[in-house]
DNA sequence: AATGAATGAGGTTTCATTCAT
DNA sequence: AATGAATGAAACCTCATTCAT
């Protein structure tokens, strides 16, 4: 092998070229639909209309491909998160509502990736340390952001003090994820079969927004006493 | 019992023999840990200490094995669900709290199966009609049970009338699923590394119970007005 | 294993009990339809409504089963052949025609077995010495019988002297086999689709009889001169 | 050429590359010797000195391999058939003799393939629609060609009018097939053990030619009256 | 830079057979 | 005498990856 030229694309490794991004996009869709193991490199290369060997060529391996996918998408999120919450001058409830809207939008927008994230979280033997680390950071970032908002509200005396932010965040993400993954059940129950895919999605998003805002309001508002004895 | 004509047991009746149940149990654990596709029949047979061909022998195929798994566990759930909620003479809130406890117990008890269920729900191209149908029934049963309880509370004037039961159920299951799938993150954040597996789990369950009961109380209680305008 | 009782059925090996004959009958049908290798013991046991292990139990192996099949059917033929041709007082042509009728009847009657015989003959690496030997004897018997009849006709000056009996026999059996194996093509060409299976078969048999008798007459009759120069 | 999307060559066009043709050649020999089912992909790949997975790679499956085999060989025949019979200016008998020679040559030349064809015809549940169709076309082509020749002879008053062309064709192919499949018996009977394989074959071919030409002459010649009463 | 032919490991499944009962 | 649970080998096929070009 001619050594001077055999520096495979994937060793450059921080910037991805258009072809790589295209492959990542296709892989994202398929991994979301069928799962990582059930998706073959042939599936991907077929849908992306590229040669089978391109995945290995560009990423080194299938494993590395999903790592690249996580790297790219994680970066997206990190950037978007901070922007949303720090600049504006808003009341705590407005801020919470904005956060809820932001997260719903973000997740529904990148539904495929979130689907993959959920799958990865389910895996006991984490796919790979790289992904585990990225996921951990992602989740920690989310948690810190929410903590900031809520602590601010608490300092202002608007929010209760006994708020379990982790569980609240768990409810927020859990509800959205659950809603998305049972979309078809949702359609049946609400009788939305005649609506288009998009109409149905925006319908569900709207309902979700209202539901989660009400929920957060209930959990954060001071007047509620905590007498919950089963 | 696999007969001489190779008609596996489950096509005759719905009884599985001890060996089959053992295989199902092993498969359940592995499918939960790695996913269906990533789990090979060899993995299963190795852990179950049986011959590779026994899976095909007892179930016909890997596909049929997971179907059997769903059939067995679904049956468990159906039976347990009704019992819990119909007989006792309780207040609406007591009933709701009992339901929450019941569902938390049920899911944490059959964590592996629930993990698999979540994975299946994520799959766009449902593994197989058999499983889709069972899942649909399961979810419908859950929803109906919750509707019964809440409607009763509404008739008694204890609960608000504008409750979206489907979304509430989504939050309930979504929160529990999310909590379980991010268990290790939970451990890090709460600094529970020194606790044993079981101690940690019961700690989390306890927190979950309180959180969800508070949450339901907030969403169902009448005094809360619904002014949530972002 | 208790030695005194473990003399498996198949070692007795000259007489077959009803169960064995039933298995042989089913195997015959399936081997004819799909070939030996393509027919599994499970296929056989399913159709015969017996346990899978019965084939090994009664015959020792699948291989031995087909040997048994050949033994049983070969015996049938040997007995039937001689009877037909030696006793009656007939003209040579009458005798030839009787032979043709007899062979057509015999083959169509035991079509499955003949199908298997043809398959075996095609196999370069003869299934097993046992079968090769039986087949050889069978063919030799057929040839001798035909030689007897023809030599007698020659002695009487009714038949030509330059008859190649082997090739004539080849034509006789080859034509019948070919006709049977292209039965469905025959049906299409003659437009017999509306006839029942049996009607069609008797139609074909009748045509075959006439054709072959005419053919033999042509080949055996003296007046034809042999000037065949391409 | 198997493209990156794993669409094997033959689905794009009907050209097979040298490697594929080599595999087909090996498969042809083994299928002829042992039958389709009894021949494993391992057998083929071993004899062809290629990797086991190449068969699936080049043809998709074992099933598709035999289909490819039939496609290639069928094409051969179709082209050769017409050429032979249309151009020359010959007497009807010359033409028939030429046809007989041609068919004998063709079959002995492609003996393996013909062996496989005979096996396929014997299968009640035709291997696959593709093969059934090709076989049907092949047989129909043969029949039409023979009909043309014979009808011409009839128009010229040289051949009898009551000729059953289908049965005559059955006899022609049946005799050749039978002769080839009982080659070893033929050797024993004629005492040709000391001859080489090729010498023996040409000996048999010569005998076959004479036999079949005489036979056709007898069946087609007008003077023979049809008094065949058993 | 990119291809596609080729590989070998490993996947699921089917097979004939055995063995304890 | 007969069963059926269980086995291990081998079947076909798919997989991710490599390598020469």
């Amino acid at each position: 092998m001619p050594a001077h030229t055999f520096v495979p694309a994937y060793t450059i490794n921080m910037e991805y070229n258009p072809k790589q991004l295209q492959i990542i996009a296709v892989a994202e869709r398929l991994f979301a639909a069928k799962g990582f193991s059930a998706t073959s490199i042939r599936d991907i290369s077929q849908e992306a209309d590229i040669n089978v060997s391109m995945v290995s060529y560009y990423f080194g391996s299938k494993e590395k491909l999903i790592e690249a996918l996580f790297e790219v998408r994680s970066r997206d999120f990190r950037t978007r998160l901070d922007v949303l919450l720090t600049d504006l001058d808003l009341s705590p409830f407005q801020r919470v509502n904005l956060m809820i809207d932001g997260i719903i939008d973000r997740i529904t927008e990148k539904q495929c990736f979130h689907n993959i994230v959920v799958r990865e979280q389910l895996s006991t033997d984490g796919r790979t340390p790289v992904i585990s680390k990225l996921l951990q950071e992602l989740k920690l970032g989310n948690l810190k952001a929410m903590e900031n908002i809520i602590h601010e509200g608490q300092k202002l005396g608007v929010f209760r003090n006994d708020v379990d932010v982790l569980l609240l965040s768990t409810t927020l993400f859990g509800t959205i994820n659950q809603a998305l993954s049972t979309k078809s059940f949702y359609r049946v129950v609400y009788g939305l079969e005649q609506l288009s895919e998009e109409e149905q999605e925006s319908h569900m998003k709207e309902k979700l927004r209202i539901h989660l805002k009400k929920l957060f309001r209930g959990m954060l508002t001071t007047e509620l006493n905590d007498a919950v004895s089963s």
Side-chain angles (χ1 to χ4, degrees), chain A residues 3 58 60 68 76 80 82 91 100 108 118 137 141 180 215 221 229:
Chain A
Y58 274 129
D76 280 7
R80 294 194 45 177
D82 312 323
S91 80
I100 291 171
T108 53
V118 175
E137 286 170 12
L180 290 175
L215 191 156
T221 300
S229 55

Side-chain angles (χ1 to χ4, degrees), chain A residues 195-207:
Chain A
L195 265 61
S196 79
E197 192 74 21
E198 283 145 22
E199 287 171 329
Q200 190 212 319
E201 179 156 323
S202 69
H203 175 268
M204 190 172 72
K205 276 169 70 170
E206 215 45 54
K207 289 254 182 188

Side-chain angles (χ1 to χ4, degrees), chain A residues 149-179:
Chain A
I149 297 171
I150 288 175
H151 289 162
E152 199 181 299
Q154 289 172 328
K155 269 185 278 178
L156 294 173
V158 185
F159 292 166
R160 306 178 50 158
N161 281 321
D162 64 340
V163 176
D164 188 323
V165 184
L166 178 52
L167 279 177
L168 215 47
S169 138
T170 301
T171 287
L172 179 57
F173 285 97
T175 299
I176 301 173
N177 286 334
Q178 183 78 8

Side-chain angles (χ1 to χ4, degrees), chain A residues 67-150:
Chain A
E67 287 182 15
L69 165 58
F70 268 87
E71 272 165 23
V72 171
R73 292 292 180 257
S74 300
R75 237 179 292 164
D76 280 7
F77 280 12
R78 260 183 305 238
T79 54
R80 294 194 45 177
L81 202 69
D82 312 323
V83 172
L84 209 115
L85 298 167
T86 53
D87 45 1
L88 297 165
D89 181 37
L90 299 164
S91 80
F93 272 117
Q94 283 176 318
R95 209 176 282 277
V96 162
N97 286 346
L98 207 60
M99 177 193 69
I100 291 171
D101 281 333
I103 291 178
I104 287 177
D105 287 340
R106 200 181 72 185
I107 293 185
T108 53
E109 206 178 300
K110 303 281 183 189
Q111 220 167 124
C112 284
F113 179 61
H114 261 89
N115 184 317
I116 299 171
V117 168
V118 175
R119 284 182 193 272
E120 282 303 313
Q121 286 176 339
L122 290 172
S123 287
T124 275
D125 56 357
R127 183 83 56 212
T128 160
V130 178
I131 291 180
S132 302
K133 195 171 135 284
L134 289 171
L135 272 183
Q136 180 103 348
E137 286 170 12
L138 221 56
K139 286 188 277 187
L140 218 56
N142 285 331
L143 188 62
K144 291 303 168 204
M146 196 183 289
E147 274 177 344
N148 285 341
I149 297 171
I150 288 175

